[in-house]
């Protein structure tokens, strides 16, 4: 009886609950996790020992499952792996499996703020990343990706910023967004603008006649308001051209006094409260800018004399003058007197009258001179010139 009982007990072989079991790799996010229950078969596991080879992955074995009760966050930029080993203390049956924790997804840029001049240019942005990413550009198409940029392969992003013709400083946000990842980087781009208003010719100079003057204005900002500080300069309508450029007509009243007067046209822009001042100057008529003289061609002195002479007048003003009369005299004789019906003499031009000669008893050319009468700016002037 004793022999039979012994044989019966020894024939019952032990079968480990781990025998033939396999556990798939467990994937955990970078943020970490806790209380992940892994069922291994349907037998009691309480006689098994469990070991993790990584301090960041803490596990226990319960009666009916393995419990991963803490996986710490992965603050590194690399994926990491822990090996979990289960050993049956009865017969040393061992199985193992891996816990793989994903890396902390990251997109890093050395500088996240760029100041770009008005002229624009290319920005090179080194990128460090462990994920694929897309580039999101601001609206307006003033920032573009330079040809040849290859993202992850070259680890840098080249952006082309266009010339700033917007009329003001501008800001843009470029986003680098991970594909299938929450990783991202934000780059702020600020482009400057130096307001400029330029008038063709820099200043306006007119003569006493006044009239209309068209002023061409080149600007890179919106001109919101234009003023004149003098009543004799009236502002006309603006004619828009390309961009912020435009032209404007100025109507300038005639000047009926001598000297020079000034007016100031101010162009205002709300951009940085910028303004530009254009000077308008007008010069009135003056005696010393109209000259005249007598030129003696030939003469014979004696009891009977003859004379050939010309009386010249030159208009050196910037205004048209209108001749009304001329006389040519000696000390004792008026030898020529001629009237005109407001004969026009343009700026920079000259004219003359001829005295072709006659016989005059006791003729003398002593004191030979000429006197011209003319109008300009609504006023009458006279000028006298002598033999040259």
């Amino acid at each position: 009886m004793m022999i039979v009982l012994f044989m019966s007990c020894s024939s019952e072989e032990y079968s480990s609950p781990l025998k033939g079991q396999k556990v798939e790799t467990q994937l955990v996010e970078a943020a970490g996790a806790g209380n992940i229950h892994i069922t291994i078969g349907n037998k009691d596991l309480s006689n098994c020992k469990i070991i993790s080879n990584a301090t960041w992955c803490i596990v226990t074995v319960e009666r009916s499952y393995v419990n991963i009760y803490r996986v710490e966050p992965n603050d590194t930029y690399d994926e990491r792996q822990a090996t979990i080993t289960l050993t049956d203390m009865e017969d040393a049956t061992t199985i193992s499996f891996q816990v793989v924790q994903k890396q902390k997804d990251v997109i890093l840029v050395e500088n996240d703020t760029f100041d770009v001049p008005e002229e624009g240019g290319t920005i090179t942005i080194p990128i460090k990343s462990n994920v694929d990413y897309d580039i999101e550009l601001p609206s307006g198409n003033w920032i573009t990706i330079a040809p040849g940029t290859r993202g992850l392969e070259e680890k840098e992003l080249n952006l082309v910023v266009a010339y700033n013709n917007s009329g003001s400083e501008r800001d843009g946000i470029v986003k680098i967004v991970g594909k299938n990842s929450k990783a991202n980087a934000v780059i702020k781009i600020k482009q400057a603008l130096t307001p400029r208003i330029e008038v063709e010719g820099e200043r306006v100079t007119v003569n006493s006649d006044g009239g209309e003057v068209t002023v061409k204005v080149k600007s890179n900002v919106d001109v919101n308001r234009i003023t004149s500080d003098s009543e004799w300069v009236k502002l006309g309508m603006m004619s828009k051209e390309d961009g912020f450029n435009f032209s404007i007509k100025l109507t300038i009243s005639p000047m009926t006094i001598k000297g020079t007067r000034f007016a100031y046209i101010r162009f205002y822009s709300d951009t940085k409260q910028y303004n530009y001042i254009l000077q308008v100057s007008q010069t009135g008529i003056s005696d010393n800018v109209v000259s005249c003289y007598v030129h003696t061609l030939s003469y014979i002195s004696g009891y009977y004399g003859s004379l050939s002479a010309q009386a010249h007048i030159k208009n050196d003003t910037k205004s048209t003058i209108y001749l009304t009369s001329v006389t040519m005299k000696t000390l004792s004789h008026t030898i020529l007197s001629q009237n005109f019906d407001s004969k026009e003499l343009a700026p920079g031009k000259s004219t003359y009258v001829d005295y072709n000669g006659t016989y005059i008893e006791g003729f003398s050319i002593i004191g030979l001179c000429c006197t011209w009468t003319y109008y300009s700016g609504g006023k009458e002037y006279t000028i006298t010139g002598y033999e040259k």
Side-chain angles (χ1 to χ4, degrees):
M1 288 293 295
M2 289 183 64
I3 293 174
V4 172
L5 286 173
F6 176 79
M7 291 180 63
S8 174
C9 290
S10 63
S11 64
E12 292 183 5
E13 295 182 0
Y14 177 76
S15 178
S16 172
L18 302 180
K19 191 173 182 178
Q21 300 297 325
K22 184 178 180 181
V23 180
E24 295 182 353
T25 298
Q26 304 295 303
L27 298 177
V28 183
E29 295 295 325
N35 293 321
I36 301 174
H37 294 170
I38 304 169
T39 301
I40 302 176
N42 55 9
K43 296 183 180 180
D44 186 0
L45 302 177
S46 58
N47 199 37
C48 296
K49 181 180 179 181
I50 191 166
I51 298 174
S52 169
N53 72 339
T55 58
W56 51 267
C57 183
I58 310 300
V59 294
T60 59
V61 62
E62 307 298 333
R63 182 178 182 84
S64 59
Y65 60 86
V66 170
N67 182 29
I68 302 175
Y69 75 88
R70 188 173 78 237
V71 177
E72 296 178 353
N74 185 0
D75 291 327
T76 72
Y77 302 135
D78 296 311
E79 185 178 275
R80 60 185 179 181
Q81 178 177 298
T83 299
I84 310 301
T85 303
L86 271 169
T87 303
D88 189 335
M89 301 304 295
E90 182 72 22
D91 65 357
T93 300
T94 300
I95 65 171
S96 63
F97 64 93
Q98 278 70 46
V99 175
V100 175
Q101 187 176 28
K102 299 178 78 173
Q103 78 279 0
K104 179 181 179 181
D105 289 347
V106 67
I107 298 173
L108 298 176
V109 293
E110 293 182 2
N111 188 3
D112 63 1
T113 303
F114 291 87
D115 291 318
V116 182
E118 178 181 337
E119 294 76 17
T122 300
I123 301 171
T124 298
I125 305 170
I127 300 174
K128 294 180 180 179
S129 175
N130 57 4
V131 296
D132 290 343
Y133 52 78
D134 292 316
I135 308 298
E136 296 180 2
L137 301 176
S139 61
N141 203 36
W142 60 279
I143 300 176
T144 56
I145 299 175
T149 295
R150 295 174 61 86
L152 280 172
E153 292 184 21
E154 293 186 1
K155 297 289 186 181
E156 70 178 25
L157 172 64
N158 293 311
L159 299 177
V160 178
V161 181
Y163 174 79
N164 189 356
N165 59 0
S166 68
S168 62
E169 293 180 346
R170 57 186 177 185
D171 300 306
I173 298 294
V174 176
K175 294 181 180 180
I176 305 175
V177 181
K179 295 180 178 180
N180 303 316
S181 170
K182 294 181 180 180
N184 68 87
V186 175
I187 300 166
K188 299 177 182 178
I189 297 176
K190 182 177 182 180
Q191 189 173 24
L193 178 81
T194 302
R196 288 190 304 276
I197 300 175
E198 300 172 356
V199 176
E200 191 176 272
E202 296 185 355
R203 59 179 57 87
V204 173
T205 302
V206 295
N207 58 39
S208 61
D209 293 337
E212 281 191 347
V213 177
T214 298
V215 173
K216 290 185 175 294
V217 180
K218 292 183 177 180
S219 177
N220 64 350
V221 293
D222 187 24
V223 176
N224 310 104
R225 185 163 54 97
I226 307 173
T227 63
S228 170
D229 69 350
S230 300
E231 291 185 358
W232 55 274
V233 180
K234 304 294 185 183
L235 302 177
M237 295 295 293
M238 291 174 54
S239 297
K240 286 287 187 180
E241 299 176 4
D242 59 302
F244 295 98
N245 301 332
F246 64 93
S247 60
I248 184 171
K249 284 189 177 180
L250 308 179
T251 301
I252 301 169
S253 302
M255 184 175 177
T256 58
I257 60 175
K258 296 180 181 180
T260 302
R261 61 183 179 181
F262 300 92
Y264 297 93
I265 311 301
R266 285 177 168 81
F267 300 85
Y268 294 91
S269 172
D270 289 341
T271 303
K272 292 187 174 180
Q273 302 301 310
Y274 181 76
N275 68 85
Y276 175 86
I277 301 175
L278 171 67
Q279 182 189 83
V280 179
S281 62
Q282 186 178 28
T283 303
I285 196 70
S286 176
D287 289 343
N288 61 8
V289 293
V290 178
S291 59
C292 66
Y293 63 91
V294 179
H295 179 51
T296 303
L297 302 175
S298 65
Y299 66 90
I300 300 172
S301 61
Y303 187 75
Y304 293 98
S306 67
L307 173 68
S308 294
Q310 291 178 343
H312 287 256
I313 185 167
K314 183 173 178 60
N315 180 9
D316 290 323
T317 72
K318 295 182 179 180
S319 302
T320 298
I321 65 175
Y322 301 91
L323 304 175
T324 56
S325 66
V326 61
T327 59
M328 196 185 313
K329 296 180 179 182
T330 68
L331 285 180
S332 58
H333 294 84
T334 297
I335 60 176
L336 183 146
S337 180
Q338 184 175 339
N339 293 322
F340 306 101
D341 184 16
S342 296
K343 180 180 179 179
E344 181 180 300
L345 187 61
K349 301 295 182 180
S350 62
T351 190
Y352 62 88
V353 293
D354 280 321
Y355 172 71
N356 295 317
T358 187
Y359 290 98
I360 303 174
E361 184 179 352
F363 183 84
S364 172
I365 63 167
I366 296 174
L368 185 63
C369 68
C370 64
T371 299
W372 296 82
T373 304
Y374 61 90
Y375 274 88
S376 180
K379 297 188 67 176
E380 184 180 67
Y381 299 89
T382 60
I383 184 170
T384 300
Y386 296 87
E387 184 181 7
K388 184 176 181 180

